[in-house]
Amino acid sequence: MAEIPESPVTPGAPDALVVADNVHKRFGRLEVLRGIDLTVKRGEVMCVVGPSGSGKSTFLRCVNHLEKLSAGRLWVNGELMGYRQKGGRLHELRDHEIAAQRRDIGMVFQRFNLFPHLSVLGNIIEAPVQVKRVPRAVATERAMELLEKVGLPDKAGAYPEQLSGGQQQRVAIARALAMEPSLMLFDEPTSALDPELVGEVLDVMRDLAEGGMTMIVVTHEMGFAREVGDSLVFMDGGVVVESGTPTDVLTDPQQERTQAFLSKVL
Amino acid sequence: MSSPNQPADGPRKVQTPDPDRSAAPITAVPVRYPERWVAAGFILLLAAMFVHMLFTNDAFDWPFMFENMFSEPVVRGVWVTLSATLLSMAIGVVLGIVLAVMRLSGNPVLVSVSWLYTWFFRGVPRLVLAVLFGNLAILYSTIELGVPFDTYLMAAFGLEGDLRFFEIDARTLLSGYTAGLLALSLSEGAYMAEIIRAGLQSVDRGQTEAAQALGMSRAKVLWRITLPQAMRVVIPPTGNETIAMLKDTALLAYVPVTIELFYQLQAIGTRSYQIFPMLVAACLWYLAITSVLMVGQYFVERRFNPGQNSVRNRVVGGAH
């Protein structure tokens, strides 16, 4: 990984893994994020809820720099994402430096985005072999363990299109875990699934949370947020309207907008 | 809570097959299409007349054709044609990838150079290009490798001489075959650029994002994720291009490349005043090689569609 730049020490608590400081994102004249301040501690599971268009997915994509911030700063693991601070100015990181930062952050997408030209095994070992230069045999062994963990030990040779949505999403989780990330991002991981397949994906995520993984989960599954989440963030209109423990926010929302949203989804 | 499957009144209904009800296969009188039989008979008649003509018209002179079709210079011409096809396609594909990546790079200079290249080589007919490249020796008598603008540079430093390390006579390098091959390859690069660009753009954006999220660099994403998936879209038109290229190698006869298949067949025809049989021989040769290439295309397509022969695809594909 690139040398730690002479950026200031990460603000926030010493056990903070993700720190967002006044994050803004503009698409042309449309302001999607209007100042997000958040801290995710190591081992914390943060669920982000809110109506569509509230900016929650955009924020998630800012965390691993799939979207460039328009203003503000974002640190993961003490590293400023996408930039290096040098001589009082920000310098954009090169492509391979950004890639190096992303290796430590797993991401699971709403529409799985498995690689259709690779088998399940191929999907999982692709990044470890190509990016981390892990020997193929070692990567394969680790992939089989991960498939066991997500409950698909007999699907290594299958191709993505031969799997159900729930199975594909579990492979996608295994693929992200194969890089041994310290942070997992979930972008509405169950929204594209048939209702009866949602449970199997949530089960895998629950196991992961219990194993101590730090997770940011954008979701509409309030039950999951309440049971598994350590914290809940309600976003609307590009700002954090309310946050706190899931029980507090879900049972006793203080803000009118939160109350209105929850009355529709609960 | 009431289940939506249960009607508000009446008992729950469960459907089970009733063994007593008959399920005899339908037997009905099919619709007849007499006009199709008339049309088929008419076409068969025309075909019979054509075959009759093939055997009775003396201009065909089949024995002469078969005798010369496999003569040594003609067979050598077949190999020249094949090698020119494969070489120019290989160069064309590589050029096409480079041009397509340039076109999608976002750098204004690279984008416009790629666009200009495509504009020129798609705009000029291949026959004209082939003849033009055959006469390129007029433009450059020798081809030299060295520092660009060397004479100006040396003068600027107050020195004499040049900075050229390697030179070759243009007529040696740009002999008929090389010149023709160059023309075909450069022209093909322009077409392949468009085909590959379409292929790259057909790959879902989520694929790139997923690969980037795994920490893959842009080059890795292109080689490992985007290009292999683009192949599915790229290969069928590339097969067309290969077949078109095989036929376009006949243009080499006008560079001129004297060892080329069509040139050889025509030469025999003109020499012996048996023009038509040799033209038929050309048709047969090109048809034969094209058929072989089509078989090759089938296997290449299968290679780049893993999982496509899966159960689901067979079911979906078979059901229409």
Side-chain angles (χ1 to χ4, degrees):
Chain A
M1 197 164 283
E3 81 280 9
I4 302 293
E6 44 174 313
S7 59
V9 184
T10 313
D15 58 346
L17 183 62
V18 181
V19 177
D21 176 24
N22 198 21
V23 168
H24 283 70
K25 178 65 191 178
R26 238 173 261 114
F27 291 109
R29 291 177 59 193
L30 181 70
E31 201 164 24
V32 183
L33 297 178
R34 300 186 294 146
I36 305 284
D37 296 303
L38 279 177
T39 303
V40 184
K41 297 199 193 77
R42 272 173 215 285
E44 178 177 341
V45 176
M46 174 184 279
C47 292
V48 183
V49 301
S52 55
S54 60
K56 49 195 195 309
S57 286
T58 305
F59 172 71
L60 203 66
R61 295 160 58 81
C62 285
V63 173
N64 65 355
H65 208 65
L66 279 183
E67 302 288 355
K68 268 189 191 173
L69 312 195
S70 305
R73 302 278 189 277
L74 200 147
W75 290 266
V76 176
N77 239 336
E79 272 192 66
L80 187 61
M81 288 302 290
Y83 301 95
R84 172 184 296 126
Q85 200 144 12
K86 210 165 141 190
R89 290 199 60 187
L90 283 187
H91 298 257
E92 277 186 10
L93 291 185
R94 294 182 162 278
D95 177 50
H96 68 93
E97 293 170 316
I98 294 174
Q101 287 188 328
R102 288 186 183 130
R103 274 168 219 179
D104 210 26
I105 306 170
M107 187 163 194
V108 174
F109 299 85
Q110 181 177 353
R111 289 179 52 243
F112 330 133
N113 296 350
L114 290 181
F115 306 132
H117 63 302
L118 298 176
S119 68
V120 165
L121 184 66
N123 266 275
I124 299 175
I125 67 172
E126 177 69 15
V129 171
Q130 292 295 324
V131 177
K132 276 189 169 177
R133 300 278 166 210
V134 177
R136 188 167 283 267
V138 178
T140 304
E141 200 177 314
R142 169 104 181 101
M144 296 312 291
E145 286 169 28
L146 286 167
L147 280 175
E148 189 86 41
K149 192 170 168 181
V150 300
L152 297 166
D154 53 339
K155 295 290 184 194
Y159 280 88
E161 58 156 36
Q162 297 167 313
L163 303 179
S164 73
Q167 291 172 330
Q168 288 193 47
Q169 194 61 299
R170 285 187 280 156
V171 172
I173 294 174
R175 176 176 71 175
L177 291 175
M179 288 296 279
E180 299 176 321
S182 56
L183 169 69
M184 284 285 283
L185 308 174
F186 291 87
D187 188 6
E188 303 199 24
T190 58
S191 298
L193 296 177
D194 290 342
E196 81 266 25
L197 301 178
V198 169
E200 63 191 54
V201 172
L202 292 182
D203 285 344
V204 170
M205 291 168 63
R206 186 176 293 123
D207 285 349
L208 206 54
E210 279 163 10
M213 178 61 77
T214 312
M215 295 160 58
I216 304 179
V217 185
V218 170
T219 187
H220 294 294
E221 298 290 331
M222 296 302 160
F224 177 85
R226 190 200 306 261
E227 273 175 58
V228 181
D230 298 308
S231 56
L232 186 71
V233 171
F234 172 69
M235 280 179 67
D236 193 15
V239 295
V240 172
V241 176
E242 195 163 351
S243 64
T245 68
T247 326
D248 285 352
V249 178
L250 290 176
T251 52
D252 185 23
Q254 301 296 309
Q255 301 292 321
E256 216 174 289
R257 267 190 290 174
T258 320
Q259 291 163 2
F261 176 74
L262 290 177
S263 71
K264 282 181 204 143
V265 298
L266 282 182
Chain B
M1 212 178 273
S2 73
S3 155
N5 295 327
Q6 196 174 344
D9 51 341
R12 186 195 301 233
K13 278 184 188 161
V14 180
Q15 277 203 3
T16 46
D18 182 356
D20 296 336
R21 285 164 71 192
S22 79
I26 293 173
T27 49
V29 179
V31 179
R32 313 281 181 197
Y33 299 97
E35 67 278 15
R36 289 184 190 174
W37 286 104
V38 173
F42 182 65
I43 286 165
L44 279 177
L45 180 71
L46 287 180
M49 286 165 69
F50 180 71
V51 172
H52 178 255
M53 190 261 305
L54 286 183
F55 284 102
T56 51
N57 193 322
D58 289 339
F60 281 105
D61 198 347
W62 295 100
F64 177 84
M65 192 200 84
F66 282 116
E67 194 180 309
N68 286 281
M69 197 178 159
F70 299 101
S71 66
E72 202 259 323
V74 173
V75 172
R76 193 143 32 86
V78 171
W79 287 114
V80 170
T81 286
L82 263 180
S83 77
T85 306
L86 297 181
L87 270 174
S88 52
M89 279 312 291
I91 300 172
V93 167
V94 172
L95 258 175
I97 293 176
V98 173
L99 287 165
V101 170
M102 281 167 71
R103 186 77 182 272
L104 298 171
S105 69
N107 177 309
V109 175
L110 298 183
V111 171
S112 23
V113 167
S114 172
W115 185 88
L116 264 173
Y117 181 99
T118 313
W119 170 76
F120 179 82
F121 281 99
R122 276 205 314 189
V124 180
R126 270 194 185 160
L127 177 58
V128 177
L129 274 180
V131 178
L132 178 82
F133 274 70
N135 289 292
L136 219 54
I138 295 170
L139 204 56
Y140 299 102
S141 58
T142 57
I143 290 174
E144 301 165 322
L145 226 58
V147 178
F149 299 110
D150 54 340
T151 45
Y152 300 108
L153 280 175
M154 294 300 269
F157 287 108
L159 299 167
E160 282 192 17
D162 56 29
L163 289 171
R164 292 167 198 196
F165 323 116
F166 173 82
E167 64 175 67
I168 185 170
D169 185 2
R171 272 155 303 188
T172 314
L173 185 69
L174 287 176
S175 72
Y177 182 75
T178 334
L181 189 68
L182 206 58
L184 293 180
S185 308
L186 294 180
S187 159
E188 188 55 39
Y191 290 95
M192 284 310 302
E194 292 296 278
I195 291 172
I196 291 168
R197 183 167 69 103
L200 288 175
Q201 284 175 332
S202 77
V203 178
D204 182 48
R205 183 139 179 75
Q207 292 292 313
T208 306
E209 288 184 349
Q212 284 181 327
L214 285 165
M216 294 171 86
S217 63
R218 242 182 255 155
K220 272 262 155 63
V221 176
L222 178 71
W223 279 112
R224 301 284 313 173
I225 306 300
T226 332
L227 257 185
Q229 290 186 57
M231 290 313 260
R232 265 177 60 173
V233 175
V234 166
I235 282 172
T238 305
N240 277 347
E241 288 293 311
T242 311
I243 287 166
M245 178 57 81
L246 175 84
K247 295 179 290 176
D248 283 355
T249 55
L251 299 177
L252 293 181
Y254 297 92
V255 171
V257 181
T258 50
I259 50 173
E260 185 269 334
L261 175 63
F262 185 54
Y263 190 98
Q264 284 297 331
L265 288 168
Q266 259 197 327
I268 296 172
T270 337
R271 253 196 325 262
S272 57
Y273 301 104
Q274 293 272 25
I275 291 176
F276 205 77
M278 288 298 101
L279 289 176
V280 175
C283 291
L284 291 179
W285 265 120
Y286 285 114
L287 275 173
I289 306 174
T290 308
S291 311
V292 172
L293 289 179
M294 282 167 73
V295 174
Q297 182 183 359
Y298 167 79
F299 283 105
V300 173
E301 270 181 42
R302 222 174 50 163
R303 161 76 182 77
F304 279 96
N305 275 338
Q308 290 296 299
N309 311 313
S310 64
V311 179
R312 207 205 76 180
N313 250 277
R314 257 182 276 138
V315 172
V316 173
H320 291 290

